[in-house]
Amino acid sequence: MNICVIGTGYVGLVAGTCLADIGNKVICTDSNTEKINLLNKGIIPIFEPGLKELVDLNKKEDRLAFSTDLKSAVEQSQVCFIAVGTPHAEDGSCDLSYVYNAADEIAKYMNEYKVIVNKSTVPVGTAEKLHKIIKANTKYNFDIVSNPEFLKQGAAVDDFLSPDRVIIGSNSLKATEIMKEIYSPFMRLADRIIIMDIKSAEMTKYASNAFLATKISFINEIANLCEKTGADIDMVRLGMIADSRIGNRFLYPGIGYGGSCFPKDVDSLINTAEKSGCDISIIKAVRETNKKQRELFVNKILSYFDGDINGKTFAVWGLSFKPKTNDMREAPSCTVINMLLDKGAIIRAYDPKAVDSAKKIWDRKIYYAKNAYDALIGADAMLLLTEWNEFRYPDIDKMKSLMNSYVIFDARYQYNCKNLEKKGFKYIR
């Protein structure tokens, strides 16, 4: 099938590449000429395991192309995926201008019936607005489909190729059958396609992310209570996840959620509820708990140093919002480092993949270490902010030889307290 994907950001690039990998002819388009030029040179602007290899393979097989020529892409394609950004607006809602612009452009270049698939995360009712925009600017028939993405950064390629479910929101039998044909190669072991109306599909994405965010904020509140009462959150968590109704996913205490999805989607869901006159107090509490979690972590640092960290050096391990990505959007490290810098601290930071992203935020305000141990030189404390695998079993003796004082603040509950204390470290989480 001939497919065009509008937007070569995280979702568009992964979706377009994976759709090409099952034999479709895919053109990924973007108005950003520099990004398209880089992609045509084989330079991938995001880090995602396995993505570059798939891009290179499918370009070589002439199944995947990158272009700024949206007109040609739309004319050649039976199905057009919209995968553009929906950034925060000031009131917490989604800025849908990129989505509306994409719809307007598709309508302008339509030359026959098209299925227009929205993969961008959008509030309930957006498809209706897209339908009006397109209908007002074309004489051709078309159908709108909502097909939200559920990709986890760091495992996005596997998630797309082996999805746990594919949501197709459609009010058209013809469009539904076309979408089922597109996704049928991913369903050879089991049919995990769920067909529903468009509004329900739009809501499903928000409901899913808000629920996962709730699990994270919930376990963080329990961890805070355990600290106050003397209970062990590790033991409490083990007792909880043994219950099959609860499960073990997204139930790790730490510094809270970040990234491009959870914060934005929680805000947008709250905004939608307010506009609808519906009070969703649980979701509001989830957001507030997540904000406070970062402040609580910094307060632990300040408390240890009696409120004065001016001139203190902190080694930061991990900058990206989660492992296996270079994404710094809404990363907890941004909040923590900025708060420490405001107090006069010196930051030596290391991340396996996110240093270039970090330089766009702090420039020369912090030192970018060559490796994890380089960050420790002269440090008064180490802060573990992202749980990359390479940080799991560090050389403790080497750490001691490099640091000024032996203190670890573990925002990810990763290390064994007793082992570190035996080695002479003060361990705080």
Side-chain angles (χ1 to χ4, degrees):
M1 194 173 294
N2 291 329
I3 295 171
C4 77
V5 178
I6 302 169
T8 57
Y10 187 85
V11 174
L13 188 54
V14 172
T17 302
C18 291
L19 289 170
D21 197 55
I22 57 169
N24 296 296
K25 184 86 169 181
V26 179
I27 304 173
C28 291
T29 71
D30 203 293
S31 59
N32 187 326
T33 303
E34 182 181 358
K35 184 185 290 187
I36 292 298
N37 287 340
L38 290 173
L39 288 167
N40 280 321
K41 293 176 182 177
I43 301 171
I44 310 301
I46 60 173
F47 174 73
E48 180 62 39
L51 181 58
K52 178 171 172 48
E53 291 80 0
L54 276 189
V55 169
D56 291 344
L57 172 64
N58 285 283
K59 281 180 62 182
K60 182 179 179 181
E61 297 295 327
D62 200 30
R63 292 190 295 261
L64 179 65
F66 300 102
S67 175
T68 57
D69 187 354
L70 180 57
K71 180 178 184 294
S72 177
V74 170
E75 289 175 345
Q76 294 179 55
S77 302
Q78 182 182 1
V79 181
C80 301
F81 282 81
I82 297 175
V84 296
T86 53
H88 271 99
E90 289 185 5
D91 61 357
S93 65
C94 279
D95 178 354
L96 297 174
S97 59
Y98 298 110
V99 176
Y100 294 152
N101 184 67
D104 190 56
E105 292 290 297
I106 291 171
K108 188 188 305 181
Y109 302 132
M110 282 174 60
N111 57 345
E112 60 183 348
Y113 170 82
K114 308 285 183 186
V115 178
I116 299 160
V117 185
N118 184 41
K119 287 200 77 68
S120 300
T121 303
V122 296
V124 175
T126 300
E128 291 179 344
K129 296 176 183 177
L130 295 181
H131 192 278
K132 290 179 181 178
I133 291 171
I134 296 170
K135 189 174 179 61
N137 290 281
T138 186
K139 63 181 180 181
Y140 297 100
N141 292 328
F142 65 94
D143 283 307
I144 300 285
V145 170
S146 176
N147 177 217
E149 57 84 16
F150 298 96
L151 307 178
K152 298 185 296 292
Q153 287 183 248
V157 171
D158 288 341
D159 284 346
F160 200 101
L161 296 176
S162 302
D164 52 15
R165 84 281 206 197
V166 172
I167 304 292
I168 297 174
S170 172
N171 300 329
S172 160
L173 180 60
K174 181 178 181 179
T176 299
E177 290 305 311
I178 290 173
M179 293 300 294
K180 287 170 69 175
E181 182 182 347
I182 289 174
Y183 281 106
S184 61
F186 306 111
M187 303 295 150
R188 296 181 67 184
L189 296 179
D191 188 352
R192 297 175 299 282
I193 295 176
I194 302 173
I195 309 296
M196 60 181 70
D197 64 278
I198 292 176
K199 286 188 175 181
S200 296
E202 290 172 331
M203 179 60 80
T204 298
K205 173 60 185 289
Y206 282 109
S208 297
N209 278 357
F211 183 75
L212 296 176
T214 299
K215 292 185 74 173
I216 294 169
S217 285
F218 176 85
I219 197 63
N220 280 333
E221 288 208 335
I222 296 299
N224 294 336
L225 182 57
C226 285
E227 185 178 333
K228 296 292 185 181
T229 60
D232 186 336
I233 184 58
D234 292 329
M235 295 296 101
V236 172
R237 178 182 172 278
L238 287 175
M240 289 176 64
I241 66 175
D243 188 328
S244 60
R245 297 169 301 176
I246 296 174
N248 63 356
R249 305 291 297 275
F250 289 87
L251 211 61
Y252 292 90
I255 200 170
Y257 58 79
S260 62
C261 292
F262 286 6
K264 178 172 69 71
D265 292 354
V266 166
D267 282 351
S268 184
L269 189 60
I270 292 171
N271 181 269
T272 297
E274 290 173 344
K275 289 179 178 177
S276 303
C278 179
D279 181 22
I280 51 173
S281 54
I282 290 176
I283 308 303
K284 289 180 181 178
V286 167
R287 180 174 64 180
E288 293 309 308
T289 294
N290 196 62
K291 289 180 180 178
K292 287 190 289 188
Q293 201 65 20
R294 302 176 186 192
E295 296 172 5
L296 288 171
F297 181 73
V298 173
N299 286 339
K300 289 178 182 180
I301 298 171
L302 293 174
S303 177
Y304 180 83
F305 289 101
D306 296 322
D308 183 12
I309 59 171
N310 185 47
K312 297 291 184 183
T313 298
F314 294 93
V316 173
W317 283 11
L319 295 169
S320 57
F321 86 93
K322 63 179 288 187
K324 298 183 181 180
T325 180
N326 62 345
D327 198 340
M328 293 280 298
R329 287 175 290 183
E330 298 287 342
S333 64
C334 292
T335 305
V336 171
I337 289 175
N338 284 337
M339 291 179 73
L340 297 178
L341 289 173
D342 287 344
K343 297 286 185 180
I346 299 167
I347 305 296
R348 297 176 63 89
Y350 173 71
D351 188 283
K353 296 295 179 181
V355 168
D356 287 341
S357 299
K359 287 179 179 178
K360 296 176 183 177
I361 299 171
W362 292 294
D363 194 19
R364 299 181 181 180
K365 292 181 180 179
I366 68 175
Y367 171 78
Y368 304 96
K370 301 177 184 65
N371 53 57
Y373 296 105
D374 180 32
L376 293 172
I377 296 174
D380 295 293
M382 186 273 272
L383 317 180
L384 178 72
L385 299 186
T386 312
E387 66 278 30
W388 287 89
N389 283 342
E390 66 183 77
F391 300 153
R392 290 190 181 277
Y393 298 102
D395 184 333
I396 304 300
D397 292 328
K398 185 173 183 178
M399 292 177 70
K400 288 182 70 174
S401 72
L402 297 170
M403 298 176 69
N404 277 345
S405 57
Y406 313 138
V407 188
I408 294 176
F409 292 90
D410 183 358
R412 298 297 182 177
Y413 287 65
Q414 179 169 279
Y415 297 123
N416 184 297
C417 176
K418 293 179 180 178
N419 288 345
L420 286 170
E421 289 178 346
K422 285 180 182 178
K423 291 282 190 175
F425 273 87
K426 177 70 176 177
Y427 178 64
I428 302 170
R429 65 183 189 181

